[in-house]
């Protein structure tokens, strides 16, 4: 179901007119209320009167994660503190956490984005939504909560962790949809097997998964073990949290709620705006946000905007499944590769589990970066015969070489030996930075 056809199915002219009006208003607001932005805009020599069309957004300077860190805690506030109703912080995956502050209106926009997201996965006011994203400063829990509330659905606010109880509640309260990170979805399925719970017999129809990179292969795996449709959902604290972009039933790319959060793709080296279809860094301008609005925020996430219209009827543009974060891109002997590409290949190989870790280090002799892929052997794939294990190892190595063009050192590890995650998984351990 399309939650808000008026906004989600606008003609592109009407949408662009709305975006432009909101952008212009934002630039004026921010110039007058946030000294940090007044300085930034003055330094760039742009005034709100220079914004004559949506394209003129390219005249505005970028905002970076460092800007957010340097202005911690409240340096980017655009309203009096008394108007702030809630604060959140990023998980701090890549360093100091950053802050987002929400007014009542910002919470409404967030709820709206999440109501559209859950509707995209088929939820209605009749749905029973088990929210297994963490509640707290992390935006996952509250974001889903607000969206489900807007839908009028039943919410089970269980948060992440306590896996056995998750499964019991899914069964007892007949949850239809659950939300969590893809790695937690996998872990829950594994626990269910151990508990002897047949998750395919539950009442689940869909899962909304996000907050970390995952591959198409992982989606297939999750859909297979759970017997549900798994939808990719995207968001980040700096912009609002989950609800920024979501998949519809077509399951190809995520519709950006671009009447609220305006996306651009740029060349991360030059800052030049790229046309739809070209891959680069995703940038957002929060055109309606009041608490901590941001101009051209560089997410460091890599994707492209899908140029074709979606067959679902929504006209909002879609971003392709994320390739990963710029920070996570590995350069192995000159070949660029994202962990999600390695994952995608790995899940298609028999005898191993989709549990893995990539250890990156610098060889002290050659001074070249080396990556070791630690892969968990499945119970079925495990053998006491060294030659069988050697065969499996060579097989993985050859497949990686032929599919991705990279030579990885492969280390097979015992079943269940790689850490499990109930929130965001840590897949890459970079020893060069330790
Ligand atoms: P942190 O940067 O500390 O992890 P957040 O908790 O706000 O902060 O997480 C936002 C980030 O999580 C995004 O910038 C992106 O890198 C990642 N992310 C969120 N959803 C997805 C998704 N569906 N696919 C890939 N990555 C995602
Ligand atoms: Zn669609």
């Amino acid at each position: 179901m399309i939650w808000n056809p008026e906004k989600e199915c606008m003609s592109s002219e009407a949408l662009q007119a709305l975006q432009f009006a909101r952008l212009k208003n934002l630039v004026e607001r921010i110039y007058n209320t946030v000294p940090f932005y007044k300085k930034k805009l003055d330094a760039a020599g742009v005034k709100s009167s220079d914004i004559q069309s949506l394209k003129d957004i390219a005249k505005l300077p970028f905002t970076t994660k460092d800007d957010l860190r340097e202005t911690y805690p409240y340096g980017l506030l655009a309203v009096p503190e008394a108007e702030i109703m809630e604060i959140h912080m990023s998980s701090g995956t890549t360093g100091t956490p950053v802050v987002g502050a929400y007014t009542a209106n910002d919470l409404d926009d967030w709820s709206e984005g999440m109501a559209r997201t859950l509707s995209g996965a088929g939820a209605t006011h009749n749905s029973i939504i088990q929210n297994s994203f963490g509640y707290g400063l992390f935006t996952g829990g509250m974001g889903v909560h607000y969206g489900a509330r807007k839908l009028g659905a039943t919410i089970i606010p269980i948060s992440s962790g306590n896996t056995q109880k998750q499964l019991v509640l899914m069964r007892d309260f007949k949850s239809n949809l659950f939300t969590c990170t893809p790695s937690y979805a996998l872990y829950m399925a594994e626990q269910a097997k151990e508990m002897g719970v047949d998750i395919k017999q539950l009442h689940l129809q869909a899962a909304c998964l996000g907050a970390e990179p995952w591959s198409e292969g992982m989606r297939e795996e999750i859909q297979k073990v759970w017997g549900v449709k798994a939808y990719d959902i995207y968001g980040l604290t700096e912009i609002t949290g989950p609800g920024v972009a979501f998949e519809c039933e077509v399951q190809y790319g995520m519709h950006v709620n671009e009447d609220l959060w305006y996306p651009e793709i740029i060349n991360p080296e030059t800052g030049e705006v790229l046309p739809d279809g070209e891959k680069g860094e995703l940038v957002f301008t929060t055109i309606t946000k009041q608490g901590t609005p941001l101009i051209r925020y560089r997410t460091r996430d890599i994707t492209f905007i899908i140029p074709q219209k979606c067959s679902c009827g929504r006209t909002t543009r879609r971003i392709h499944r994320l390739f990963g974060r710029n920070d996570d891109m590995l350069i192995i002997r000159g070949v660029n590769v994202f962990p999600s590409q390695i994952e995608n290949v790995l899940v298609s190989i028999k005898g191993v589990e989709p549990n893995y870790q990539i250890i990156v280090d610098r060889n002290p002799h050659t001074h070249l970066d080396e990556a070791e892929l630690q892969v968990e052997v499945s119970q079925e794939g495990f053998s006491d015969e060294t030659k069988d294990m050697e065969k499996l190892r060579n097989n993985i190595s050859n497949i990686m070489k032929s599919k991705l063009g990279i030579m990885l050192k492969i280390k097979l590890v015992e079943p269940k030996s790689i850490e499990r995650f109930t929130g965001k998984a840590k897949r890459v351990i970079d020893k060069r930075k330790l």
Side-chain angles (χ1 to χ4, degrees), residues 394-431:
N394 283 333
N395 187 28
I396 300 173
S397 175
N398 291 337
I399 296 176
M400 288 291 166
K401 174 123 206 296
S402 73
K403 295 232 166 123
L404 301 176
I406 47 167
M407 275 304 281
L408 285 172
K409 228 166 100 190
I410 312 286
K411 184 177 176 193
L412 297 179
V413 300
E414 284 183 25
K416 311 264 155 67
S417 62
I418 286 177
E419 189 184 350
R420 302 295 191 262
F421 298 89
T422 62
K424 293 178 191 250
K426 185 149 182 58
R427 301 289 189 198
V428 181
I429 296 174
D430 195 342
K431 291 199 164 157

Side-chain angles (χ1 to χ4, degrees), residues 218-269:
M218 182 67 93
R219 186 222 299 272
E220 280 163 27
E221 177 71 20
I222 291 172
Q223 294 196 145
K224 194 175 82 200
V225 296
W226 279 95
V228 302
K229 286 222 168 201
Y231 295 90
D232 196 6
I233 69 171
Y234 171 81
L236 63 166
T237 315
E238 298 91 310
I239 302 308
T240 197
V244 174
F246 63 96
E247 272 185 343
C248 62
E249 69 271 17
V250 174
Q251 291 185 300
Y252 179 63
M254 297 179 276
H255 286 279
V256 179
N257 287 314
E258 54 172 323
D259 54 319
L260 303 171
W261 304 292
Y262 182 77
E264 297 171 90
I265 301 286
I266 62 159
N267 173 329
E269 260 101 60

